[in-house]
């Protein structure tokens, strides 16, 4: 990584630690927030993105040139995606053009239960490689998006994880519902920006050794497992996994976590969750598709909430 890019990585990481959300430009280039303009939550940047799409400031997303050779969404894919029905279908399909303006390499694929988005993000100016996101958007209310991130490494696609990915399909966990930064049927550009910043945080972790910004542990009813989760996942210099905006893990929950029965909690984690922390990985059909060796996955086959929210076409 170039020294200038590494310096910017640290600058943006410090802003995230101060709960200042960075700016995201076209092609998913993350830049520091304007000095002196802080946000109290991720939602501030999301709201700003929505305002920019309606006013003259929308041009600020056009500062990054489109990379040569990146595929654009084909007319056939866009037309084929107009299947199914319902309010979510209308909300998502109406945003494809604006999303493509922000992420020019966007591709859209139809699915019996919704639509797939494949987008590329540069992540950071000067970075030799970027990231690819594969996003499942069900049209059935309640299922919500499911997305996976991969580094576009010269040697092949590399899954981005396991930190802050869901159990156990390795899908992106970019924000908590309590943050109120995105809701089902919301702005797709804001959603992709959140995924982009999530990948940036992973890059910061890989290069500088810690996760930048606020983070959470396990939600109810599994909060009893959080001492084990934090001891395994959180670094001393990171903001505490309890969701603190100011306290580092070493000075917040770690002293209490060290007094817990680590071995018992590790066993309880496996019993409750159905696997170990290290068992997270993306479904093979998702990996095959991203690597170019498989067909588009069926959302129903890889979205672990679909069975509970989408009626099956097979007889009971």
């Amino acid at each position: 990584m170039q020294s200038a890019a590494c310096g910017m990585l640290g600058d943006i990481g410090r802003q995230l630690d101060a709960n200042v959300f960075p700016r995201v430009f076209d092609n998913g280039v993350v830049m520091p927030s304007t000095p002196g303009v802080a946000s109290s939550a991720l939602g501030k940047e999301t709201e700003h993105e929505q305002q920019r799409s309606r006013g003259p400031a929308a041009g600020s997303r056009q500062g990054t040139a489109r990379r040569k050779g990146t595929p654009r969404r084909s007319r056939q894919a866009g037309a084929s995606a107009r299947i199914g029905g319902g309010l979510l279908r209308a909300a998502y399909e109406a945003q494809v053009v604006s999303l493509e303006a922000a992420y020019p390499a966007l591709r859209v694929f139809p699915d019996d239960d919704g639509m797939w988005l494949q987008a590329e993000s540069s992540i950071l100016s000067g970075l030799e490689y970027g990231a690819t996101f594969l996003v499942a958007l069900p049209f059935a209310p309640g299922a919500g998006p499911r997305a996976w991130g991969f580094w576009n490494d010269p040697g092949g696609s590399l899954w981005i994880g396991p930190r802050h990915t869901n159990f156990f399909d390795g899908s992106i966990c970019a924000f908590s519902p309590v943050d109120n930064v995105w809701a089902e049927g919301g702005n797709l550009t804001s959603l992709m920006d959140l995924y982009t910043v999530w990948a940036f945080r992973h890059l910061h972790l890989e290069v500088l050794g810690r996760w930048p910004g606020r983070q959470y542990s396990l939600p109810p009813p599994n909060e009893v497992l959080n001492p084990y989760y934090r001891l395994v996942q959180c670094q001393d210099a990171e903001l505490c996994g309890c969701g603190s905006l100011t306290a580092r893990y070493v000075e917040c929950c770690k002293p209490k976590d060290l007094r817990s029965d680590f071995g018992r909690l590790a066993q309880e984690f496996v019993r409750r969750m159905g696997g170990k922390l290290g068992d997270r990985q993306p479904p093979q059909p998702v990996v095959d598709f991203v690597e170019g060796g498989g067909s588009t996955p069926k959302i129903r086959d890889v979205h672990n909430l679909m069975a509970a929210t989408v009626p099956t076409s097979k007889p009971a």
Side-chain angles (χ1 to χ4, degrees), residues 82-105:
R82 292 177 174 83
I83 58 176
L87 296 177
L88 286 179
R89 170 195 167 195
Y92 292 146
E93 290 183 345
Q95 298 183 58
V96 168
V97 173
S98 60
L99 180 60
E100 187 181 23
Y103 290 85

Side-chain angles (χ1 to χ4, degrees), residues 41-86:
L42 299 181
K44 292 294 185 180
E45 179 69 10
T46 302
E47 293 166 2
H48 182 51
E49 290 296 332
Q50 293 171 345
Q51 292 167 2
R52 284 194 298 184
S53 67
R54 294 193 295 266
S60 62
R61 287 197 61 91
Q62 300 173 3
T64 305
R66 180 171 177 262
R67 289 172 291 175
K68 294 182 179 179
T70 52
R72 298 185 69 89
R73 179 180 59 88
S74 68
R75 292 179 183 271
Q76 182 178 4
S80 299
R82 292 177 174 83
I83 58 176

Side-chain angles (χ1 to χ4, degrees), residues 148-235:
W148 291 266
F150 296 84
W151 293 122
N152 300 329
D153 187 81
S157 298
L158 299 176
W159 171 58
I160 304 176
R163 283 287 295 272
H164 295 292
T165 60
N166 291 305
F167 300 101
F168 282 96
D169 66 356
S171 58
I172 295 172
C173 183
F175 54 91
S176 170
V178 301
D179 290 326
N180 295 317
V181 298
W182 198 85
E184 195 171 57
N187 187 291
L188 291 180
T189 301
S190 295
L191 180 64
M192 205 67 71
D193 288 351
L194 288 165
Y195 292 156
T196 293
V197 174
W198 170 86
F200 170 89
R201 295 179 199 256
H202 265 282
L203 181 65
H204 191 284
L205 176 65
E206 291 181 14
V207 176
L208 300 180
R210 65 176 184 85
W211 185 269
R214 192 180 193 182
Q215 57 183 333
Y216 299 93
S217 303
L218 301 173
N222 295 308
E223 66 272 26
V224 67
L225 303 173
N226 280 334
Y228 165 74
Y229 178 89
R230 288 190 293 258
L231 284 169
V232 174
Q233 295 285 279
C234 296
Q235 303 293 326

Side-chain angles (χ1 to χ4, degrees), residues 1 5-6 8-9 12 28-30 122-127 200 203:
M1 179 183 294
C6 191
M8 186 173 295
L9 186 71
I12 299 172
V29 177
V30 182
S122 298
I123 306 300
L124 193 65
S125 180
L127 188 66
F200 170 89
L203 181 65

Side-chain angles (χ1 to χ4, degrees), residues 249-262:
Y249 178 49
V250 69
E251 63 193 17
C252 189
C253 289
K254 186 173 183 178
K256 177 182 64 176
D257 292 348
L258 287 171
R259 294 192 295 270
S260 65
D261 188 337
F262 184 86

